[in-house]
Amino acid sequence: MYSADMETIAAFSTPPGESGLAVLRISGQQAGAIADQLFVPSSPRFPRPSEMEGYTLAHGIWGGIDEVVLACFRAPHSYTGEDVYEVSCHGGQAVRQAILDSVFAAGASPAGPGEFSRRAFFNGKMDLAAAEAVMDMIGAQAEKQAQVAFQQLMGGVSRMIHERTDHLYGALARLEMLMDWDEEEERPEDRQQLLSELEESENALRKLADSFASGRVIREGLAVVIAGSPNVGKSSLLNALSGRDRAIVSSIPGTTRDTVEIDLTLDGYLIHLTDTAGLAIDSPDPIEQEGIARAESALGGADLILWVLSPPLLPIHERRLEEDRISRLLAEGKKILLVLGKDDIRLTLPPEEDPALYASERFPDLPTITWSERFEEDLGRLKDTLIGFIQNGTLISRTAAQIAGRQAADPAELTGGDGVQSGSVSEGKGESRSIRNADAVASLREAARRDDEGQSHAVLTHARHKACIDRAVELVNRARGDLLSGFSYDLVAISLKEALTELSAITGDDVSETLITKIFSRFCIGK
Amino acid sequence: MLSFEEAQKQPHAFVAGEADIIVVGAGHAGCEAALAAARLGRRVILFTMTLDSLANLPCNPNIGGTAKGQIVREIDALGGEMGRLADQHMIQFRMLNATKGPAVMSPRAQINRTGYQRGMKRVLESEPLLTLIQQEVTGLLIADGNDKRIVEGVVTATGSLFKAPGVILCPGTFLDGRVIIGDSVRSSGPDQLAPSCGLGDVLTELGLPTRRFKTGTPGRFHRRSVAVEQMEMQPADGEARPFSFEHEDDPAWKPAADLACYITWTTERTKKLLSDNIDRSPLYSGVIEGIGPRYCPSIEDKIVKFPEHTRHHVFIEPTGLDTQEMYASGLSTSMPEEIQRAMLETIPGMEKAEIMRPAYAIEYLCVDPTILELSLEVKGIEGLFLAGQINGSSGYEEAAAQGLIAGINAVRRQQALEPLVIDRSEGYIGVLIDDLVTKGTNEPYRLMTSRAEYRLLLRQDNADTRLSPIGHEIGLLPEERWQAYLRKQQAIDREMNRLSELRVRKSELSDAVLTAAGSTPLKVTTRMHDLLKRPELSYALLAPLDPERPDLPVSVRESVEIQIRYEGYIKLENDRVARFRKLESKRLPKEIDYARIKGLRLEARQKLSDRRPESVGQASRISGVSPADIQVLLVYMEQWNRQEPGPCRTE
């Protein structure tokens, strides 16, 4: 038995995407204790989770989040050979995210690539023949996770994390400088300075945790406003997003004829969608002006603006007005996703009429997506982008310039953004080898090829990042407390270094080396 | 390269000597290596360029400091020499970081330089199995084995052959040394000593990857010309502490002197002078190509990199009892002599300083240490070990530690014993060697406490607890030292037990003692052990509440107090070490073909094939090997181990 597996791990074992039910698997010594913390049975006749016998089911509420069925598989009679608890919950993205977060907060660690299968192998649940399949699985999942993480990092998460963690590096660099390079004994002003730096670090990290958790958005919904000049396809965009989704919560006609508001859910996330009309037209009509004022107000409250641009392009002076408005919104810090509508006719247009080329000239770096109601995959990509935005606070998409420059790109590349939800690892992994052994091996290989072992990488990656940041915040807070109660520097440094190590799981930093570089670049040291 | 047999057949070949182990270079690495090997029962020849300058301290006149002080204690705990000698020639003692926590408390001593050198010579000369020879080694004798090369001896500059199945190279900054002062570039070792010119080519011929590093040292000034009375005085600590556990609690031990150091500061004028003449610095004119250390910048470097600093401090330190030379820490430079003189005029107290030795930079050749095993043996060349600055490190203490380990392992190789590898949780020696060998270094490597993952465990006070059992087991720690160690551990255990059973009742006395110390009075009867954990209290402050307290040596009191006060954190670190050890103990067989392991990323396959780490733990610290690669390796190893009996795999 591989005894280094002291940690209890968790991940969803059902495939990603909207589904009726989802199953969370928790495996390890602490699984029962974690379930005890979070599970409230619906009836007193159900035992406490940690006292459940093997193969027992119980019904109840999980972490105040959702109604679930809890199943217990006692070691060694489980998939991994350890104590395993499975939580069957409702399948919405938001519910899954909240349940995963709750399990990590209670002490579980996110499952690593192929980790359930690896543990099963180590605990003798699989024979030797399965070893290579397990290695394939780990390799494939790690690759997939790296892709997801890379996409998120490319999307600006990386810069944000680096900015926020820079404070913390700075504070620890000062502390380490004081211990390794300062010949004098402790001065009260050093402790004061460290305290204020740590306070700043903690605040920065809390902000990061908040933006990551998208807690408000998950609770209250994401305010999305569709804007653009008339007849660009705004309404069909609204209809597509709402009409084809079965989960419409309510449909409220706007109080004026100029805005329409719809609430809908996407993979379990609540979205308030507002369609504005007549926005770009400078009209003397008082009713139109009222409409414009309302549109402006909707834009002011938007978390995300879908700005639709379609052929034919506006006359030059109106185009300039529209550009000014987009620039102004960007300057206010608004997040804008440019939607190039009527994509089905775009390729037939002369270059001077092509909105992609136009957009790439005026707003080359704006996140941009192409859309036509006639292409089913366009809608999927738009939804994925919206979900990604809710999960990460960041738009993961190509830019206008990239789209204009890649008109002839093949469909696989055009749907590059989809990798977040559904991408697949190149076929052929493990194909060349013969499959002689048990069904377990075959199914492992299949999972390795599908590369998911049932996990949603986006949800897990997100939850993993959030768990790291939450723990880092806690550790910085502890360091601050220690500093306040007069503990020595060496103890304070332990918590701070651990905090940075947690964050390095996201940034990939070599903490020790980064720290030393910071010390030498910030402080003049030497004999 | 010739084998011994081939060399012997050359015309006029002369076999001048034979030993079990030959050590080349008698700096801090070479001396420790030779002593360790000889004390472990091997016949040793130690070569030096000049017998008058061994164990030199050509740069800073001190031993110890942060992380370095800890490593001197570790060398001593294993049975090395540096600590004992430093204690005998100590002319100032300071415990750095006394208020910043036990993990970073670091002893440092100013050293009487010539006394230390003479002392080391006496120690070497009195070692029965050790022969000291003044000759320059310029070649190696290497035989080609089946799948590896085997070292067989050395050739000296005069053409003499010396035969030995083990060779430890410790040439330090002498290896192709170049001394640079302004435009003057001369081939030289430190202190005008002759450089070692032949060995560099030997390394190239062996196919070892080499590069040039650079370091530097400030000038030395006549004491009468330095106005120390205008400077801030930095006195020795009231109570000196020895490095060596042998001298600990020995009432007869005391330092040779308690001299003071002095602090002055550079001025705006210094800054202007150096900025105006920056084009004359060989660092900026391109004369210096070697990579210098970031932690030891020259004064012109500091001024360029930190223009916002208006001044930089300068420590004036004595260099011995038989000399008037003073060292000026902070003024390291490679500027021409003219600028060096002009610079002194801008520093208060240094205006009239007489330069006895000008400051200089030195460039030297060293090897990429990732070609080494953790034993410090060169991969693929049996019996050849490297130690000290040749491995890219800097510092006397870092060199001595490597020399000690190389000496021990050269012996163990000949006795067919497993090499001694101190791991990262056992000592700074382990951190140092693992960093060099596993990660490599792009600049002269200096130990820092921040490099240690388990800093709270790697303290100066418990170096003996960590390493003396190892020193005893390998046979290097003398028996009387081992007995003294056992007595000390018993005393610590007894006192720990006593304090955990001792109950302090609430009383007028306890209220008064606690209130006076700024603590809160007791509400209920409390164990002394728990009282000691309050940050505002200490063992000494609680004495009035502990009338039965035995009279214990300082070292025992210190250990007890730290172990109790930091119990919670120490336990957390021990848990982390347990996890660390799991991966360290998973050995990777040498015959693994990484290219054939499915699931490993390409980069990991290449790195692992190239470096051939000794354990899964070491593999995890190679840059470019990801956590997922480690998981794959673990599965692979499990598969390997289940495939009994042979390690062969079928595919």
Side-chain angles (χ1 to χ4, degrees):
Chain A
M1 173 157 176
Y2 179 52
S3 50
D5 288 332
M6 293 186 263
E7 279 165 347
T8 295
I9 52 169
F12 274 94
S13 58
T14 41
E18 198 77 5
S19 59
L21 285 177
V23 177
L24 177 83
R25 189 188 272 159
I26 312 171
S27 176
Q29 282 176 15
Q30 293 303 309
I34 289 169
D36 281 352
Q37 282 181 55
L38 291 164
F39 181 73
V40 179
S42 58
S43 151
R45 66 195 166 82
F46 293 122
R48 277 160 60 82
S50 59
E51 287 156 13
M52 283 163 76
E53 302 291 326
Y55 311 119
T56 315
L57 296 181
H59 174 260
I61 302 292
W62 187 270
I65 299 165
D66 193 21
E67 201 180 327
V68 303
V69 173
L70 182 68
C72 167
F73 305 85
R74 282 261 171 251
H77 306 293
S78 69
Y79 179 70
T80 59
E82 304 171 328
D83 278 351
V84 169
Y85 285 75
E86 289 189 351
V87 184
S88 303
C89 63
H90 291 98
Q93 192 93 332
V95 167
R96 287 198 287 177
Q97 193 77 70
I99 286 185
L100 203 50
D101 288 350
S102 74
V103 172
F104 293 152
S109 298
E115 194 164 0
F116 290 113
S117 302
R118 185 181 63 64
R119 289 188 178 198
F121 177 70
F122 274 97
N123 292 332
K125 306 296 284 188
M126 293 181 191
D127 63 12
L128 260 183
E132 294 215 352
V134 172
M135 287 191 270
D136 264 353
M137 160 92 72
I138 295 170
Q141 286 201 7
E143 194 176 321
K144 183 64 198 168
Q145 271 184 14
Q147 277 173 15
V148 172
F150 181 71
Q151 280 162 347
Q152 295 194 341
L153 294 181
M154 290 305 284
V157 177
S158 166
R159 201 185 27 169
M160 191 163 65
I161 290 176
H162 274 117
E163 275 169 18
R164 306 276 190 229
T165 54
D166 201 48
H167 282 288
L168 188 53
Y169 269 116
L172 185 54
R174 172 177 300 282
L175 190 58
E176 294 292 347
M177 182 276 290
L178 289 171
M179 290 190 285
D180 261 338
W181 302 102
D182 180 28
E183 297 240 330
E184 288 168 44
E185 288 308 330
E186 193 187 320
R187 295 161 290 253
E189 62 266 28
D190 292 336
R191 201 169 269 261
Q192 273 315 315
Q193 168 123 25
L194 277 168
L195 268 172
S196 70
E197 284 182 12
L198 284 188
E199 198 175 329
E200 215 175 307
S201 307
E202 195 180 320
N203 287 338
L205 283 174
R206 279 193 197 281
K207 271 188 200 145
L208 183 62
D210 288 348
S211 71
F212 236 85
S214 13
R216 181 189 64 81
V217 168
I218 287 174
R219 278 193 311 276
E220 299 169 16
L222 182 79
V224 177
V225 176
I226 303 177
S229 43
N231 293 323
V232 288
K234 296 195 298 297
S235 300
S236 61
L237 184 63
L238 177 105
N239 287 337
L241 274 171
S242 56
R244 295 186 197 179
D245 197 298
R246 305 257 165 111
I248 295 177
V249 176
S250 65
S251 173
I252 310 154
T255 44
T256 79
R257 61 187 166 105
D258 289 316
T259 60
V260 177
E261 292 170 27
I262 283 175
D263 282 0
L264 56 95
T265 62
L266 217 51
D267 265 13
Y269 292 119
L270 181 61
I271 293 183
H272 305 292
L273 194 59
T274 305
D275 180 17
T276 63
L279 194 63
I281 298 171
D282 207 8
S283 165
D285 179 342
I287 298 172
E288 291 274 323
Q289 279 181 351
E290 173 61 20
I292 291 168
R294 280 176 189 277
E296 287 292 350
S297 140
L299 286 172
D303 294 312
L304 176 67
I305 298 166
L306 304 180
W307 197 287
V308 188
L309 202 62
S310 300
L313 294 174
L314 294 171
I316 289 288
H317 83 279
E318 285 181 31
R319 254 188 253 174
R320 295 291 170 258
L321 286 174
E322 186 172 17
E323 288 163 16
D324 287 349
R325 207 183 287 261
I326 292 175
S327 302
R328 212 162 51 237
L329 288 165
L330 287 173
E332 286 166 16
K334 288 289 169 197
K335 297 274 174 47
I336 297 180
L337 176 65
L338 202 56
V339 180
L340 300 178
K342 303 185 187 167
D343 194 47
D344 47 322
I345 63 165
R346 192 162 61 85
L347 290 179
T348 65
L349 297 170
E352 64 274 16
E353 285 292 317
D354 182 355
L357 282 176
Y358 160 69
S360 77
E361 271 168 36
R362 313 305 299 190
F363 300 102
D365 299 326
L366 211 55
T368 302
I369 200 165
T370 57
W371 185 71
S372 162
E373 57 185 322
R374 290 168 61 185
F375 297 153
E376 187 68 29
E377 66 269 24
D378 281 1
L379 183 63
R381 197 171 63 234
L382 177 60
K383 286 181 179 177
D384 287 346
T385 308
L386 290 177
I387 291 162
F389 183 74
I390 294 171
Q391 289 173 343
N392 306 312
T394 290
L395 285 168
I396 299 158
S397 145
R398 289 178 294 158
T399 63
Q402 283 168 335
I403 287 179
R406 278 221 255 156
Q407 295 213 348
D410 62 85
E413 272 189 279
L414 279 175
T415 56
D418 286 2
V420 173
Q421 284 297 306
S422 63
S424 66
V425 169
S426 62
E427 290 289 317
K429 256 187 198 304
E431 274 187 348
S432 56
R433 254 169 293 111
S434 56
I435 302 171
R436 293 189 214 94
N437 280 288
D439 292 349
V441 177
S443 81
L444 270 173
R445 283 196 197 287
E446 176 52 31
R449 191 161 28 237
R450 251 191 4 253
D451 97 66
D452 55 29
E453 202 184 21
Q455 300 183 34
S456 160
H457 293 287
V459 168
L460 188 59
T461 305
H462 175 263
R464 186 194 307 276
H465 289 185
K466 185 179 172 325
C468 291
I469 296 167
D470 285 347
R471 277 200 295 266
V473 169
E474 203 176 296
L475 285 160
V476 175
N477 185 270
R478 186 165 90 192
R480 216 151 64 84
D482 284 358
L483 205 53
L484 268 173
S485 8
F487 282 59
S488 53
Y489 287 170
D490 52 355
L491 298 186
V492 177
I494 291 176
S495 305
L496 292 183
K497 195 159 182 188
E498 252 180 76
L500 281 169
T501 306
E502 288 288 351
L503 294 170
S504 73
I506 310 175
T507 58
D509 283 349
D510 178 333
V511 175
S512 194
E513 276 309 309
T514 311
L515 192 60
I516 287 168
T517 305
K518 297 268 182 214
I519 294 172
F520 293 135
S521 64
R522 280 168 199 230
F523 303 103
C524 184
I525 277 159
K527 56 189 178 188
Chain B
M1 205 159 298
L2 299 180
S3 68
F4 180 75
E5 202 180 7
E6 289 159 347
Q8 222 181 351
K9 288 179 189 152
Q10 302 279 310
H12 307 299
F14 171 58
V15 180
E18 191 181 342
D20 297 317
I21 288 163
I22 286 173
V23 180
V24 180
H28 301 284
C31 289
E32 293 290 350
L35 284 171
R39 287 166 178 171
L40 289 172
R42 298 276 117 177
R43 294 169 303 143
V44 176
I45 298 174
L46 171 58
F47 284 102
T48 171
M49 307 273 283
T50 161
L51 281 168
D52 299 324
S53 209
L54 41 77
N56 192 11
L57 295 92
C59 193
N60 50 312
N62 47 53
I63 285 178
T66 51
K68 291 165 173 266
Q70 282 87 329
I71 217 170
V72 177
R73 300 273 276 165
E74 291 177 6
I75 291 168
D76 185 75
L78 282 169
E81 195 58 40
M82 182 174 248
R84 291 200 304 187
L85 266 182
D87 286 349
Q88 284 166 28
H89 303 283
M90 186 183 286
I91 55 178
Q92 184 204 57
F93 177 82
R94 289 186 68 207
M95 183 64 87
L96 302 181
N97 289 336
T99 54
K100 296 177 199 165
V104 291
M105 264 172 72
S106 309
R108 189 188 64 187
Q110 299 301 130
I111 298 295
N112 179 18
R113 173 169 162 267
T114 53
Y116 188 91
Q117 291 185 270
R118 278 196 305 272
M120 184 61 92
K121 187 150 177 273
R122 265 197 304 276
V123 170
L124 294 167
E125 284 169 343
S126 61
E127 198 59 48
L129 293 177
L130 196 155
T131 310
L132 257 177
I133 300 180
Q134 174 174 301
Q135 274 219 58
E136 183 183 354
V137 169
T138 52
L140 292 178
L141 298 171
I142 304 260
D144 273 321
N146 287 335
D147 54 348
K148 64 187 167 199
R149 293 172 286 179
I150 300 164
V151 79
E152 295 188 322
V154 303
V155 187
T156 67
T158 60
S160 300
L161 307 180
F162 287 85
K163 189 180 180 192
V167 174
I168 306 172
L169 296 182
C170 317
T173 56
F174 288 78
L175 190 60
D176 279 351
R178 278 208 311 171
V179 165
I180 301 147
I181 303 176
D183 300 329
S184 153
V185 182
R186 285 163 302 131
S187 189
S188 171
D191 280 331
Q192 301 283 42
L193 296 163
S196 163
C197 293
L199 273 181
D201 295 339
V202 171
L203 298 177
T204 310
E205 207 182 319
L206 285 173
L208 305 184
T210 59
R211 60 275 186 78
R212 294 186 75 79
F213 276 178
K214 168 241 151 186
T215 179
T217 193
R220 310 291 189 279
F221 310 95
H222 198 296
R223 186 179 190 102
R224 69 183 169 209
S225 65
V226 179
V228 295
E229 66 282 359
Q230 296 177 23
M231 303 177 184
E232 185 190 326
M233 190 170 89
Q234 192 184 48
D237 279 2
E239 187 201 0
R241 305 274 300 269
F243 286 106
S244 174
F245 290 94
E246 186 173 318
H247 298 139
E248 211 169 57
D249 311 319
D250 174 1
W253 178 83
K254 63 178 177 39
D258 289 313
L259 303 185
C261 296
Y262 301 89
I263 303 171
T264 182
W265 299 81
T266 62
T267 59
E268 288 282 6
R269 286 170 56 224
T270 320
K271 188 174 157 186
K272 180 167 188 323
L273 174 86
L274 293 173
S275 312
D276 289 350
N277 291 283
I278 200 70
D279 56 320
R280 300 197 60 188
S281 162
L283 265 182
Y284 292 91
S285 66
V287 173
I288 291 181
E289 294 155 10
I291 306 157
R294 285 172 299 176
Y295 52 83
C296 189
S298 59
I299 184 69
E300 59 266 33
D301 232 5
K302 294 189 212 172
I303 277 162
V304 170
K305 290 193 180 133
F306 294 91
E308 69 279 15
H309 289 216
T310 54
R311 59 178 204 166
H312 298 272
H313 56 206
V314 177
F315 295 88
I316 306 296
E317 308 174 10
T319 64
L321 295 174
D322 57 354
T323 173
Q324 297 300 310
E325 290 180 70
M326 301 290 275
Y327 174 89
S329 176
L331 289 184
S332 165
T333 181
S334 50
M335 280 287 197
E337 223 175 320
E338 181 194 347
I339 308 294
Q340 293 192 23
R341 282 187 188 280
M343 175 175 75
L344 293 172
E345 282 162 24
T346 67
I347 302 170
M350 299 291 284
E351 295 91 339
K352 298 202 170 71
E354 295 169 29
I355 300 180
M356 294 178 73
R357 305 182 201 221
Y360 62 83
I362 185 164
E363 263 191 13
Y364 54 96
L365 196 73
C366 55
V367 170
D368 175 354
T370 60
I371 53 124
L372 298 171
E373 311 267 358
L374 287 167
S375 64
L376 297 179
E377 188 173 25
V378 177
K379 287 174 194 161
I381 308 182
E382 189 178 311
L384 181 64
F385 292 77
L386 307 183
Q389 269 170 302
I390 190 172
N391 291 340
S393 68
S394 82
Y396 315 137
E397 304 83 353
E398 287 89 339
Q402 292 171 62
L404 178 65
I405 297 300
I408 291 169
N409 284 330
V411 174
R412 294 177 74 81
R413 143 73 69 198
Q414 294 179 6
Q415 295 170 334
L417 295 169
E418 280 286 298
L420 172 65
V421 175
I422 307 288
D423 77 32
R424 301 182 71 92
S425 69
E426 290 172 321
Y428 277 98
I429 296 177
V431 175
L432 163 73
I433 294 176
D434 185 64
D435 272 352
L436 288 171
V437 171
T438 308
K439 295 184 182 168
T441 181
N442 294 321
E443 67 181 328
Y445 175 99
R446 185 207 194 272
L447 261 183
M448 297 168 213
T449 67
S450 63
R451 296 192 194 270
E453 292 84 355
Y454 314 106
R455 182 159 59 185
L456 195 54
L457 303 181
L458 306 189
R459 304 187 310 269
Q460 60 87 26
D461 64 280
N462 69 353
D464 55 345
T465 314
R466 292 183 277 123
L467 298 176
S468 282
I470 296 174
H472 172 68
E473 190 191 323
I474 62 173
L476 197 55
L477 194 72
E479 182 58 27
E480 63 273 21
R481 281 279 303 274
W482 176 241
Q483 292 305 326
Y485 165 81
L486 292 177
R487 284 194 298 276
K488 178 180 165 187
Q489 295 305 312
Q490 271 173 7
I492 292 172
D493 291 347
R494 212 176 299 130
E495 182 65 356
M496 296 274 291
N497 285 335
R498 195 186 67 85
L499 292 173
S500 66
E501 281 161 18
L502 178 65
R503 281 160 208 283
V504 182
R505 289 175 204 290
K506 184 174 174 61
S507 67
E508 269 177 40
L509 178 65
S510 76
D511 285 1
V513 168
L514 293 176
T515 312
S519 196
T520 43
L522 293 178
K523 293 193 183 70
V524 292
T525 299
T526 305
R527 293 186 309 159
M528 183 59 101
H529 178 272
D530 294 328
L531 263 187
L532 264 172
K533 289 186 175 173
R534 296 192 184 176
E536 66 278 9
L537 298 178
S538 70
Y539 191 77
L541 280 170
L542 289 168
L545 303 181
D546 187 4
E548 311 280 297
R549 184 180 286 185
D551 187 20
L552 293 167
V554 182
S555 64
V556 173
R557 291 203 305 262
E558 182 183 60
S559 279
V560 167
E561 185 164 14
I562 292 171
Q563 285 183 53
I564 293 178
R565 291 174 72 91
Y566 294 86
E567 196 174 38
Y569 276 91
I570 289 174
K571 190 185 167 303
L572 284 178
E573 294 242 301
N574 277 326
D575 293 346
R576 289 172 53 222
V577 166
R579 262 172 282 162
F580 158 82
R581 289 257 165 85
K582 290 260 158 59
L583 288 186
E584 296 304 299
S585 64
K586 296 214 176 278
R587 306 299 294 259
L588 292 169
K590 288 202 191 268
E591 57 269 37
I592 287 186
D593 181 0
Y594 292 102
R596 288 170 63 190
I597 300 183
K598 300 292 184 307
L600 279 185
R601 290 167 320 117
L602 188 62
E603 188 189 3
R605 284 182 199 188
Q606 285 166 347
K607 283 274 172 63
L608 292 167
S609 304
D610 186 38
R611 299 280 180 84
R612 310 213 66 82
E614 292 165 33
S615 66
V616 178
Q618 194 190 3
S620 73
R621 291 188 293 278
I622 295 175
S623 83
V625 176
S626 74
D629 295 323
I630 293 303
Q631 297 301 321
V632 170
L633 266 188
L634 286 172
V635 175
Y636 181 79
M637 288 308 302
E638 178 73 11
Q639 180 193 25
W640 179 298
N641 292 334
R642 280 197 212 169
Q643 268 167 354
E644 295 297 331
C648 307
R649 290 180 52 225
T650 50
E651 176 126 1

